[in-house]
Amino acid sequence: MIQKTALRVIKSKRLVLLALIMSSILQSLSIVGQAWFFATLIHNLVFLDHTVLDESNTITWLAVFIILRLVFSYIQEHVSSSLGHSVKSILRKEALAHLFRLGIQRGESQGDTIHLITDGLEQVEAYVSSYIPQMIYAIIIPLVMGIAIMDTLPIIGAILIGTVPLIPLFMILIGKQAEKMNQEQWDRMSLLSGHFLDVLRGITTLKVFGRAKEQIQVISRLSNEFKDSTLRVLRVAFLSALVLELVSTISTAIIAVYLGLTLLDGGLDFLPAFFILLLAPEFYTPFRQLGAAFHTGMSGKTALAKFDAFMNTPIALPRGGNCRIQGTIESIRLDNLNYTYPETSNGIKHITLQVCRNKPIMLVGESGAGKSTIARILGAFLEAPSNSVYVNDIDLSTCSMDWWRTQVTYVSQKPHVMHGTLRDNIAFGQDVSDDELLEAAKLAELHDVICEKGLDFVVGEGGMGLSGGELQRIALARAFLHGGQVLILDEVTSHLDVNTEAQISCALQRLMKNKIVILVGHRIQTMQWASQLYVLRQGEIIEQGTYESLLAQNGYFKALVDAGTGSFVMDDEGVPNISYLEIPLQQQQEKLSNG
């Protein structure tokens, strides 16, 4: 039957569905009328010796029913196409909305998601516009014609009742095997599209290491596997069409033989016999067409099953409440914040800290220590437990997330740059004028780049054509345009040369004015901007204080700084001693507490 997700959306288009059903009924009646008047015309011309002029009324009615059949057939196709397009658009909007709600922690590959939202939903459109209407035709048209046939000659009804159930029986038997094959075909297509996307994104790296040509063979192998899978599916689809054609043809032949023998025996007049003979092929036509659309139906069902699985993916973005804080935000407080990533033991534990306006703090630690997790929670990318994050002493979980995201400006070390002009990449969807863009670019130290290249300069995917420093300045220009009272800077000065870092540092100092600022990173210069440093290890804060006081403690932070500057303590054999970084966390804390 109709897949439940497709049925849910179709029900919302009641008028379109009603138009489809009514056009099917009217087309069925027009076919019956066409057959009756054609049979009457032949009967009167041959057996009653009427002239064409005598049958002018019959010919007129025949022409009317032929035109009506064509009109209703056109309406069916138009309505079916409109219904398919509407369902595809609704499901695509739902998928994109869910994708945006999923946040940054998603298990499926980007290739799978792209395949679902593009090719997958195109298959759903074909399923709704071709297969589902054909199922409706296969119910309505034979029903109307069956009534007309049985009213004319009831014995033919026994033949119809005996042959029609064979058609869905064969479709069910073949459908079980086809469903498995369609699933295999989908998986192979997802693998191929995902791998191809990864190769395109990493083509530069592959060429640098001389591995690009090997990927030609890999893609060729995956393409051949997908081709073989597709041919297996088509083999089953053609088999189903053959079976339905065979059943329809044999059934029509049985009816024709019976009518012929009965007519020769004198037990039946020519007019009803010819009328039934004309309707018999039309009776089975919807079933044959349903067989032809069988492959489309199976592919659409597989795509809808994948759509349902995608829509059932848990949402990671916080939902929030309705509270909106009026006025300025003066402080953010984390009170015993705990967060663990799903299906892992990674996360943060017992995080307690406070950041106030115009008093920047910095989160310091090794990679994986939990710095970015805290930044993502504050940036509303991850949902924190209630009563653990407070904004002006109001629980963040009760605040509107739409409002909160207008207050937070998050600048990462790898800003997303899309294929498009500099104007598009700086505006990033915001409705701003060129004057506002230029002002933001000036504040972000990007003005010289714009003067050289122009706002209409086309940037390649991933920032191709721009340096790392220019990409960071684009991110800062976006931040100036966005505004907001809370600024999160996630290692924005890493991997930059000295001159570029100096330019970006000037822009950052402007951006940080009169804001609540959370810095994340390792750079000693940015550490000195912070009024308070929080040192994390294995998801916990183990040290906190100013830059100078932490250095004076000669603890874990001092070891991190020495590792970053190359100032290791040498042992007696002249080997750098970094054993402190390898001491288990519990022993470190005991060592610090004992002085």
Side-chain angles (χ1 to χ4, degrees):
M1 295 303 292
I2 300 177
Q3 204 271 350
K4 60 180 182 179
T5 300
L7 183 60
R8 169 181 63 83
V9 182
I10 289 172
K11 284 182 178 179
S12 66
K13 300 289 182 180
R14 295 182 184 275
L15 292 178
V16 179
L17 182 60
L18 180 62
L20 184 63
I21 294 173
M22 290 302 300
S23 62
S24 299
I25 294 174
L26 293 173
Q27 185 189 25
S28 303
L29 294 174
S30 65
I31 293 173
V32 172
Q34 174 188 324
W36 174 255
F37 282 106
F38 184 72
T40 301
L41 177 64
I42 299 300
H43 175 266
N44 292 344
L45 290 176
V46 174
F47 293 97
L48 300 182
D49 293 328
H50 286 188
T51 65
V52 173
L53 187 61
D54 295 333
E55 296 300 317
S56 58
N57 287 336
T58 304
I59 294 173
T60 300
W61 279 109
L62 176 61
V64 168
F65 278 102
I66 290 174
I67 293 172
L68 287 175
R69 180 179 182 177
L70 294 174
V71 169
F72 292 131
S73 177
Y74 171 78
I75 292 174
Q76 280 183 353
E77 291 183 5
H78 178 74
V79 171
S80 299
S81 177
S82 175
L83 182 62
H85 181 74
S86 297
V87 171
K88 178 188 70 173
S89 299
I90 291 172
L91 293 181
R92 183 165 286 163
K93 288 178 181 178
E94 290 181 3
L96 288 173
H98 186 70
L99 178 64
F100 295 143
R101 289 195 299 268
L102 285 178
I104 57 177
Q105 302 298 322
R106 292 186 286 114
E108 74 281 354
S109 71
Q110 292 182 356
D112 288 342
T113 305
I114 292 172
H115 177 51
L116 171 64
I117 294 177
T118 53
D119 293 341
L121 291 182
E122 293 297 331
Q123 293 174 6
V124 171
E125 181 182 14
Y127 171 75
V128 174
S129 63
S130 299
Y131 187 71
I132 291 179
Q134 202 57 55
M135 289 181 64
I136 295 174
Y137 306 157
I139 295 172
I140 294 176
I141 294 178
L143 181 62
V144 173
M145 294 183 182
I147 293 172
I149 291 173
M150 293 182 70
D151 182 65
T152 305
L153 190 61
I155 191 63
I156 300 298
I159 300 176
L160 299 179
I161 294 173
T163 56
V164 167
L166 295 175
I167 295 174
L169 176 63
F170 282 122
M171 291 189 67
I172 291 172
L173 294 175
I174 296 173
K176 291 185 177 295
Q177 182 64 25
E179 187 174 357
K180 296 178 182 179
M181 291 185 174
N182 271 285
Q183 178 66 47
E184 178 189 357
Q185 183 193 30
W186 177 280
D187 292 339
R188 291 190 181 280
M189 184 60 190
S190 295
L191 177 62
L192 177 60
S193 60
H195 182 78
F196 189 67
L197 178 62
D198 291 339
V199 169
L200 286 179
R201 287 184 166 180
I203 191 67
T204 303
T205 305
L206 290 170
K207 284 184 174 293
V208 167
F209 289 95
R211 313 293 290 186
K213 290 185 177 180
E214 293 182 3
Q215 290 303 314
I216 297 176
Q217 299 175 353
V218 174
I219 292 175
S220 176
R221 175 176 59 81
L222 293 176
S223 299
N224 287 330
E225 290 176 357
F226 176 70
K227 178 191 68 175
D228 294 339
S229 175
T230 302
L231 289 176
R232 285 193 293 270
V233 173
L234 290 175
R235 189 181 303 125
V236 173
F238 292 148
L239 177 62
S240 66
L242 174 63
V243 170
L244 293 180
E245 285 284 352
L246 184 63
V247 172
S248 301
T249 303
I250 292 175
S251 301
T252 304
I254 292 173
I255 293 173
V257 169
Y258 174 82
L259 290 174
L261 293 175
T262 306
L263 190 62
L264 289 175
D265 194 44
L268 186 66
D269 292 334
F270 175 81
L271 178 58
F274 191 46
F275 172 65
I276 293 173
L277 190 61
L278 290 173
L279 284 184
E282 297 287 357
F283 178 88
Y284 290 102
T285 296
F287 297 113
R288 294 200 299 269
Q289 293 174 343
L290 185 61
F294 182 76
H295 172 61
T296 301
M298 290 297 99
S299 299
K301 278 190 173 181
T302 302
L304 284 166
K306 292 295 182 180
F307 175 85
D308 289 341
F310 174 74
M311 295 300 291
N312 289 328
T313 307
I315 296 174
L317 285 181
R319 301 178 186 272
N322 298 316
C323 179
R324 296 171 180 260
I325 299 175
Q326 303 298 324
T328 60
I329 299 174
E330 296 297 336
S331 67
I332 299 175
R333 176 167 54 88
L334 276 56
D335 186 7
N336 195 30
L337 171 63
N338 295 277
Y339 182 87
T340 303
Y341 289 98
E343 301 180 3
T344 70
S345 58
N346 301 325
I348 53 177
K349 298 168 285 186
H350 313 302
I351 302 297
T352 298
L353 59 84
Q354 183 167 350
V355 53
C356 300
R357 182 179 290 271
N358 292 322
K359 292 184 178 180
I361 68 165
M362 186 167 186
L363 307 176
V364 182
E366 296 177 289
S367 296
K371 307 183 301 296
S372 293
T373 300
I374 296 174
R376 288 169 180 171
I377 288 173
L378 293 176
F381 296 114
L382 299 174
E383 185 165 18
S386 58
N387 300 314
S388 59
V389 180
Y390 295 89
V391 180
N392 282 5
D393 294 326
I394 297 174
D395 188 357
L396 180 60
S397 63
T398 66
C399 294
S400 165
M401 288 298 107
D402 290 337
W403 166 81
W404 178 244
R405 291 189 182 100
T406 64
Q407 304 302 314
V408 176
T409 302
Y410 189 101
V411 183
S412 69
Q413 61 176 318
K414 294 180 179 179
H416 177 73
V417 177
M418 57 191 173
H419 175 74
T421 63
L422 272 175
R423 178 186 287 102
D424 294 336
N425 274 286
I426 297 173
F428 212 54
Q430 300 179 81
D431 186 13
V432 293
S433 65
D434 283 358
D435 290 339
E436 292 173 300
L437 284 177
L438 293 173
E439 181 62 26
K442 188 175 181 180
L443 293 171
E445 300 289 335
L446 188 66
H447 194 261
D448 57 335
V449 177
I450 292 178
C451 288
E452 177 186 350
K453 302 179 184 292
L455 285 173
D456 294 319
F457 175 76
V458 177
V459 182
E461 184 73 27
M464 188 70 67
L466 297 176
S467 67
E470 289 169 343
L471 295 178
Q472 285 293 4
R473 281 178 276 176
I474 286 177
L476 293 180
R478 292 172 182 169
F480 278 110
L481 285 174
H482 181 261
Q485 302 185 64
V486 180
L487 177 63
I488 301 174
L489 302 173
D490 192 351
E491 304 192 58
V492 294
T493 59
S494 60
H495 312 301
L496 298 176
D497 60 74
V498 176
N499 291 332
T500 303
E501 183 179 0
Q503 284 183 306
I504 290 180
S505 296
C506 292
L508 287 173
Q509 292 291 340
R510 299 188 193 104
L511 186 61
M512 290 165 57
K513 285 182 180 179
N514 197 34
K515 286 183 175 65
I516 294 176
V517 180
I518 299 98
L519 298 161
V520 178
H522 305 91
R523 308 287 280 194
I524 293 177
Q525 179 182 356
T526 50
M527 290 179 189
Q528 295 172 346
W529 294 348
S531 61
Q532 190 83 350
L533 301 177
Y534 292 89
V535 184
L536 289 95
R537 190 183 185 203
Q538 297 177 10
E540 295 185 63
I541 296 176
I542 61 171
E543 295 176 356
Q544 66 183 72
T546 63
Y547 177 74
E548 291 79 10
S549 66
L550 289 174
L551 284 180
Q553 290 180 22
N554 199 29
Y556 180 72
F557 176 76
K558 176 66 161 56
L560 283 176
V561 173
D562 288 344
T565 60
S567 303
F568 296 107
V569 177
M570 298 297 197
D571 60 18
D572 295 336
E573 297 179 359
V575 178
N577 182 4
I578 56 171
S579 59
Y580 187 85
L581 292 176
E582 299 169 355
I583 300 174
L585 178 60
Q586 184 177 359
Q587 296 180 25
Q588 276 191 51
Q589 292 173 332
E590 291 175 357
K591 181 177 178 181
L592 290 173
S593 61
N594 294 330

